[in-house]
């Protein structure tokens, strides 16, 4: 009973799609950012501010290692979880990894008004989005499948994911995958 893993840049809709998949399959959603915050007793901006990004990445790897051991979960990851190869390897060992994508403009529209993402608290967040997307493209390309989210609802995207899994595995995903 492997996991369904969602990776992709901030604001591509991982959380909404995870909730929709959970609704359809009855599987639990685990979100690595939520685990990090609960374990640390701090918010992500607080972790970045007090300890810096490298420490956050260590906590993220610990969260990935913990969730990857269990099965039949929808795993929603932070946008940078793919940056460490060991994270991707662990997630792929026990799951199918889907990368959700969107254009920089769409991402900006979705996250521009939010303040809880430390990497975007810069004078030029739109430039930062484009820069990070370019830097991270090879990391996101490690996913098993890539799904463009622009113009699609979380229901459409969840449906697309389930169709891909059904096509690969006979029988119902929830029962046999
Ligand atoms: C990050 C994405 C965030 C969170 C942290 C760093 C990133 O998660 O893990 O702010 O490096 O892209 P979301 O993708 O859920 O916003």
């Amino acid at each position: 009973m492997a996991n369904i893993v969602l990776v992709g840049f901030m604001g591509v809709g991982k959380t909404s799609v995870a909730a929709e998949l959970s609704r359809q399959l009855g599987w639990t959603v685990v979100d690595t950012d939520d685990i990090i915050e609960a374990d640390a007793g701090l918010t992500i901006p607080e972790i970045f501010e007090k300890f810096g990004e490298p420490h956050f990445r260590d906590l993220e790897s610990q969260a990935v290692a913990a969730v990857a051991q269990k099965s039949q979960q929808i795993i929603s990851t932070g946008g940078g979880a793919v940056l460490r190869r060991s994270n991707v390897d662990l997630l792929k060992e026990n799951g199918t990894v889907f990368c959700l994508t969107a254009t920089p403009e769409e991402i900006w529209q979705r996250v521009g008004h939010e303040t809880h993402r430390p990497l975007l608290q810069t004078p030029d967040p739109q430039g930062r989005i484009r820069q990070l997307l370019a830097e991270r493209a090879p990391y996101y390309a490690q996913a098993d499948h890539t799904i463009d989210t622009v113009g699609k609802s979380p229901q459409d995207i969840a449906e697309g994911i389930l169709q891909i899994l059904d096509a690969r595995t006979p029988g119902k995903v929830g029962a046999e995958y």
Side-chain angles (χ1 to χ4, degrees), residues 83-146:
L83 297 173
R84 286 194 181 168
R85 180 68 203 223
S86 53
N87 292 346
V88 177
D89 288 345
L90 278 173
L91 291 165
K92 278 189 167 181
E93 248 172 50
N94 194 25
T96 306
V97 178
F98 292 86
C99 180
L100 307 187
T101 64
T103 59
E105 295 75 24
E106 180 76 22
I107 289 169
W108 172 245
Q109 273 189 14
R110 295 186 197 172
V111 305
H113 61 286
E114 296 175 341
T115 55
H116 65 278
R117 292 182 170 93
L119 293 178
L120 301 182
Q121 304 311 303
T122 73
D124 177 18
Q126 295 190 65
R128 191 80 198 275
I129 289 171
R130 280 192 295 275
Q131 176 215 342
L132 287 174
L133 277 172
E135 280 173 17
R136 290 179 176 183
Y139 297 92
Y140 292 131
Q142 298 171 98
D144 297 305
H145 302 277
T146 299

Side-chain angles (χ1 to χ4, degrees), residues 45-111:
E46 285 168 345
I47 297 169
F48 269 75
E49 197 187 314
K50 281 184 199 244
F51 305 111
E53 183 175 347
H55 182 69
F56 171 79
R57 298 293 170 207
D58 289 342
L59 299 180
E60 187 169 55
S61 294
Q62 287 169 23
V64 165
V67 299
Q69 285 175 7
K70 299 182 207 142
S71 296
Q72 242 178 314
Q73 316 163 104
I74 318 295
I75 302 177
S76 180
T77 61
V82 293
L83 297 173
R84 286 194 181 168
R85 180 68 203 223
S86 53
N87 292 346
V88 177
D89 288 345
L90 278 173
L91 291 165
K92 278 189 167 181
E93 248 172 50
N94 194 25
T96 306
V97 178
F98 292 86
C99 180
L100 307 187
T101 64
T103 59
E105 295 75 24
E106 180 76 22
I107 289 169
W108 172 245
Q109 273 189 14
R110 295 186 197 172
V111 305

Side-chain angles (χ1 to χ4, degrees), residues 21-22 36 82 97 156 169:
L21 286 167
S22 168
I36 293 165
V82 293
V97 178
D156 294 337
T169 312

